[in-house]
Amino acid sequence: MLVIKNLHASIDGAPILRGINLEVKAGEVHAIMGPNGSGKSTLASVLAGREEYEVTEGEVLFKGKDLLALAPEERAREGVFLAFQYPVEIPGVSTTNFLRTAVNQVREYRGLNPLDAVKFLSVMKEKMKLVEIDQKLMSRSLNEGFSGGEKKRNEIFQMAMLEPTLSILDETDSGLDIDALRIVSNGVNQLKSSETATIVVTHYQRLLDYIVPDFVHVLFNGRIVKSGTKDLALDLEEKGYDWIKEEVKAASV
Amino acid sequence: MTTLTKNKISELILNQAPSFNSFPQLREKGRTITLGNGLPASKDEEYKFTSISKKLEQTLDNFSLSKKTVLDLNLIQSHLFEGFDGDLLVFNNGNYEKSLSSVNQTGIEVSSLNDSMPVSLGTIAKTEKDPFISLNNIYFEDGIFIKVKKNHKIDKPVFFLFFNKANQGQVISPRILIEVEENAEVSFLENTISLDESPYLCNVVTEIKVGQNAHVHYNRHQSENRNSIVVNNFETDIHRDATFTSVVISLSGDMVRNNLTLNLLDSGCEGNMYGLYLLNGKTHVDNHTNVDHTKPHSESNELYKGILADNSRGVFNGKIFVRQDAQKTNAFQQNNNILLSDDATVNTKPQLEIWADDVKCSHGCTTGQLDEEALFYLRARGLSKDQAKGMLLFAFAGEVLEHVSDESFKKYLTDIVQERLGSNF
């Protein structure tokens, strides 16, 4: 589904990603871990099409298409979803209206009829249950005055509404308490299928107790320096990142 | 050098101005002041960012009063907004057209100024306050006097529909006087239609007395042609426990200057001022507002928002005056602007003069670009760049539009704004 080859990216001329290689197949969950500043969020942003980042080398194929050639909205319509680390508050835009526009935009692209208001509301109700999100939030301005947990739940709710094939969760667990974490993970797990894939970017092993990855990758200095199964995450939890840094250092000498 | 006139423009004007017998004192005063002071020069602090005299000199060559043009019912019908239901007041180049208007609600009396000769004309918008009030004093031919009677709640809106088109003269000079008596309630709507693209000066003076415990809402839509120069002097005297709300939506014109003054004359008054300006091309819109708190326990709220593209320019000057007597005043002011091009300009200036010591006043202004992070967020959900932009701008503008009091008029304005924001502006 997703093939990343030798991806290099920089911001304001400073290189952040220095040759990422990764393949994600349908049905898989990949966790990307790593210390602060290793490039985890940059990778998520580059995949979603954030324009501040400049891709200097390499390619990304999504379902065989050149993902990097697409505008952010085209990527979304193709089925890439980024759950933001910091969801943006947008005063004056109602969550419901915004989502209806987004859903119908995506449906149109996929050759489906737009949902009318009634149908949309019933789909919305159904998906709201997944993340136990309150109806009241839906009539408010997008993310405005939402608590941290509500914002993250709203991200997963939007993901449920847009039915992406590749979901990228950018530190969705940061700042969540255990209850919120459970709710968010539940939502993600229920949306998993053999046709979809998930990339979980996280700093903490804790999330992986709930969303169990098939693969764990450690990002360091803009490269994937180690890959393994979920046991790797447990090692990291126990030993921290220093041994990996040591390994990298040793290898480069 | 002549001692009679300050600048060339006032000389031109005084040579070509009409001469009327009605309201002799007002006319005389207007003439004296215009002769003495002329029109505002660029060094005039109040007109610092709006060189209106220069603009008039460059744009107009005939300062005679424009004659009436031809209006018929079909034309009028075509300019009523969908869902309009209320009283209609039609103006032909500033003159009230009784035969084309319809006033049916009880509690409201409408007459021409020349018929009713109200002695209060010119007592709210005083001649010396602004050069364009003096000018209007000289130029207005007739005007309208509206009385809303005591204890009457006027259910349906009263709609001013102005038709402007330079005709053997390029000055249009509407004059409006409204007296809303005690405990009455009324909502006014205003729309101005330019019948062609030719330049003119439309110099309006509106005076409103809001009686004790009366409630008045006044909604204006300004979309005159791209060569028009528009000056509005809009002043209200607000009496005890009364509420007055102004909404001004400015969408086009060459140069527009709005002076809005709310005199909160007693306790328990509430004055609200909302404005939205959506500007493109070379349009220049200047909103000068002034709220005067004179007695304790009054409140004012002000929100002006602007979206500016191309080479347009917006000016906001918000004066809040709190007199020594006006303890426990609450006054809030906000001006926010979004610039969509590098060549658009905003000059914003809050001006607070507070003489009382127990008051709550706040003001703030922001000028910036569209929030890139918000734009990316919406696009990451599948909205196109234009859609996302339109949605953000509309959300920004919506905060002002929601204050329009009549639902049909609100819908009409919302549609216009939405269309403007959805397109490439």
Side-chain angles (χ1 to χ4, degrees):
Chain A
M1 178 185 295
L2 180 76
V3 182
I4 303 175
K5 287 183 203 161
N6 191 31
L7 182 65
H8 286 68
S10 58
I11 187 162
D12 299 329
I16 312 262
L17 301 183
R18 305 155 187 264
I20 302 263
N21 292 291
L22 181 67
E23 185 171 357
V24 178
K25 296 199 178 78
E28 293 176 349
V29 176
H30 290 245
I32 301 207
M33 302 187 72
N36 284 331
S38 58
K40 302 187 300 287
S41 282
T42 301
L43 178 60
S45 295
V46 168
L47 292 178
R50 203 185 275 276
E51 281 161 350
E52 302 93 282
Y53 295 97
E54 194 195 345
V55 174
T56 48
E57 213 182 317
E59 64 173 344
V60 179
L61 297 175
F62 178 64
K63 294 191 277 190
K65 282 187 190 167
D66 178 5
L67 188 70
L68 300 176
L70 302 178
E73 60 268 30
E74 291 168 320
R75 300 181 195 199
R77 294 170 194 171
E78 282 286 346
V80 176
F81 181 91
L82 172 68
F84 280 57
Q85 182 178 4
Y86 304 110
V88 186
E89 296 195 14
I90 308 185
V93 170
S94 104
T95 307
T96 307
N97 286 346
F98 147 70
L99 255 183
R100 198 172 154 211
T101 312
V103 165
N104 283 334
Q105 224 20 261
V106 167
R107 286 179 68 88
E108 189 188 323
Y109 185 82
R110 295 175 190 167
L112 301 167
N113 288 328
L115 295 179
D116 62 37
V118 177
K119 183 76 186 134
F120 175 79
L121 287 175
S122 80
V123 174
M124 205 168 96
K125 271 220 170 89
E126 181 198 317
K127 308 276 188 187
M128 275 161 59
K129 284 188 203 138
L130 273 180
V131 283
E132 302 172 33
I133 203 163
D134 196 332
Q135 174 79 48
K136 269 184 263 163
L137 295 182
M138 294 296 107
S139 51
R140 297 236 302 259
S141 287
L142 189 52
N143 292 325
E144 197 186 29
F146 286 29
S147 70
E150 284 169 340
K151 282 181 186 166
K152 297 296 175 80
R153 269 191 271 172
N154 193 21
E155 292 295 288
I156 304 307
F157 167 65
Q158 291 175 36
M159 174 177 143
M161 291 299 294
L162 293 169
E163 300 179 334
T165 38
L166 174 68
S167 304
I168 304 159
L169 311 182
D170 187 8
E171 303 211 13
T172 300
D173 54 328
S174 302
L176 292 187
D177 59 34
I178 291 286
D179 285 338
L181 185 65
R182 197 176 292 135
I183 291 168
V184 164
S185 311
N186 247 333
V188 175
N189 286 332
Q190 289 188 52
L191 293 169
K192 272 197 313 201
S193 78
S194 57
E195 279 102 56
T196 63
T198 313
I199 296 175
V200 183
V201 174
T202 182
H203 196 69
Y204 306 104
Q205 190 273 335
R206 187 181 67 153
L207 174 68
L208 306 179
D209 289 341
Y210 298 94
I211 303 172
V212 181
D214 299 297
F215 301 96
V216 174
H217 310 279
V218 179
L219 204 60
F220 182 63
N221 264 344
R223 284 194 198 97
I224 291 177
V225 293
K226 206 167 186 65
S227 295
T229 62
K230 65 178 191 311
D231 296 336
L232 175 57
L234 293 173
D235 283 350
L236 290 171
E237 174 75 3
E238 205 179 308
K239 301 195 238 167
Y241 288 104
D242 287 349
W243 64 281
I244 292 204
K245 293 181 190 169
E246 293 300 323
E247 270 190 27
V248 173
K249 219 185 263 169
S252 66
V253 173
Chain B
M1 197 172 133
T2 166
T3 51
L4 288 179
T5 52
K6 281 263 180 176
N7 48 23
K8 186 169 153 242
I9 188 84
S10 32
E11 193 175 349
L12 267 173
I13 284 173
L14 287 167
N15 286 336
Q16 296 176 349
S19 171
F20 296 113
N21 296 325
S22 58
F23 302 97
Q25 282 164 334
L26 270 188
R27 311 283 188 188
E28 186 48 42
K29 206 166 175 189
R31 223 163 240 285
T32 312
I33 292 178
T34 305
L35 269 174
N37 301 343
L39 289 184
S42 54
K43 59 178 184 285
D44 190 322
E45 183 63 25
E46 289 295 307
Y47 281 83
K48 196 170 160 190
F49 299 112
T50 300
S51 344
I52 193 147
S53 300
K54 203 167 133 204
K55 178 61 83 178
L56 284 168
E57 244 169 50
Q58 286 167 348
T59 316
L60 305 187
D61 48 33
N62 183 350
F63 287 89
S64 309
L65 185 67
S66 179
K67 302 218 171 355
K68 278 192 185 184
T69 181
V70 183
L71 296 181
D72 62 52
L73 280 171
N74 280 336
L75 179 77
I76 290 162
Q77 205 66 36
S78 71
H79 288 287
L80 296 180
F81 57 90
E82 205 184 311
F84 167 67
D85 180 20
D87 288 340
L88 177 67
L89 305 170
V90 174
F91 289 76
N92 183 341
N93 278 341
N95 294 288
Y96 173 47
E97 286 277 14
K98 195 177 175 188
S99 61
L100 296 170
S101 303
S102 66
V103 181
N104 303 311
Q105 300 186 84
T106 49
I108 180 162
E109 277 174 11
V110 175
S111 55
S112 81
L113 286 177
N114 288 341
D115 286 345
S116 48
M117 295 282 183
V119 288
S120 52
L121 191 72
T123 57
I124 299 172
K126 295 187 180 72
T127 313
E128 60 277 10
K129 277 199 174 161
D130 185 86
F132 287 90
I133 300 179
S134 317
L135 202 65
N136 182 283
N137 278 4
I138 306 171
Y139 271 87
F140 80 87
E141 182 168 8
D142 198 355
I144 194 169
F145 176 42
I146 298 173
K147 196 172 221 175
V148 180
K149 305 193 82 173
K150 195 173 164 178
N151 298 332
H152 277 80
K153 180 177 189 294
I154 310 299
D155 288 323
K156 296 175 181 174
V158 179
F159 182 28
F160 289 86
L161 186 53
F162 292 92
F163 288 94
N164 287 348
K165 179 189 174 180
N167 183 18
Q168 302 169 55
Q170 294 176 306
V171 180
I172 297 168
S173 194
R175 183 81 186 217
I176 298 162
L177 174 65
I178 300 173
E179 284 184 18
V180 181
E181 296 183 338
E182 231 178 290
N183 296 320
E185 271 177 54
V186 62
S187 171
F188 295 100
L189 317 175
E190 189 182 298
N191 201 4
T192 306
I193 310 293
S194 300
L195 290 171
D196 64 12
E197 291 295 309
S198 58
Y200 56 75
L201 163 68
C202 183
N203 178 28
V204 195
V205 174
T206 306
E207 299 174 81
I208 304 185
K209 176 189 171 187
V210 184
Q212 193 167 335
N213 201 39
H215 303 283
V216 178
H217 217 113
Y218 203 110
N219 311 279
R220 287 185 273 168
H221 170 217
Q222 303 181 313
S223 276
E224 296 182 54
N225 78 39
R226 63 192 153 86
N227 298 307
S228 60
I229 302 165
V230 177
V231 182
N232 256 280
N233 273 287
F234 193 109
E235 184 151 357
T236 63
D237 277 357
I238 301 165
H239 291 262
R240 196 184 175 92
D241 298 323
T243 310
F244 178 81
T245 301
S246 160
V247 184
V248 185
I249 314 290
S250 311
L251 303 179
S252 64
D254 186 358
M255 184 176 271
V256 179
R257 165 67 176 237
N258 294 318
N259 294 326
L260 171 65
T261 303
L262 270 50
N263 302 310
L264 305 178
L265 298 177
D266 210 328
S267 293
C269 299
E270 182 184 322
N272 304 306
M273 297 172 277
Y274 302 104
L276 173 68
Y277 37 103
L278 248 61
L279 312 180
N280 58 12
K282 288 184 171 173
T283 298
H284 177 123
V285 171
D286 176 348
N287 282 295
H288 261 64
T289 68
N290 186 358
V291 57
D292 187 358
H293 291 261
T294 60
K295 291 278 154 59
H297 296 287
S298 278
E299 184 175 321
S300 65
N301 299 291
E302 178 166 29
L303 176 65
Y304 271 72
K305 291 187 133 186
I307 301 174
L308 298 97
D310 306 334
N311 291 291
S312 62
R313 184 164 190 174
V315 180
F316 174 80
N317 189 106
K319 192 187 266 182
I320 299 175
F321 203 86
V322 182
R323 296 184 189 242
Q324 201 165 5
D325 240 11
Q327 299 295 358
K328 305 285 179 191
T329 287
N330 282 330
F332 304 104
Q333 181 189 91
Q334 188 74 37
N335 173 234
N336 307 113
N337 301 287
I338 294 179
L339 301 179
L340 296 178
S341 100
D342 291 342
D343 300 317
T345 316
V346 167
N347 301 99
T348 173
K349 182 175 154 201
Q351 217 181 327
L352 278 69
E353 246 179 84
I354 300 170
W355 298 96
D357 52 19
D358 185 13
V359 300
K360 248 191 243 170
C361 284
S362 73
H363 67 93
C365 49
T366 60
T367 300
Q369 271 103 41
L370 256 189
D371 181 353
E372 286 295 329
E373 188 60 20
L375 206 57
F376 176 66
Y377 188 74
L378 297 179
R379 292 177 74 192
R381 299 293 177 258
L383 273 65
S384 71
K385 198 172 181 177
D386 281 347
Q387 256 179 334
K389 219 164 120 177
M391 193 175 264
L392 292 176
L393 291 175
F394 185 72
F396 178 82
E399 238 193 311
V400 172
L401 286 169
E402 70 184 30
H403 293 286
V404 174
S405 59
D406 178 75
E407 285 308 315
S408 300
F409 198 54
K410 188 191 289 180
K411 169 93 174 49
Y412 161 76
L413 292 173
T414 302
D415 288 349
I416 295 174
V417 168
Q418 204 146 27
E419 200 192 313
R420 271 280 286 278
L421 297 178
S423 64
N424 50 4
F425 206 78

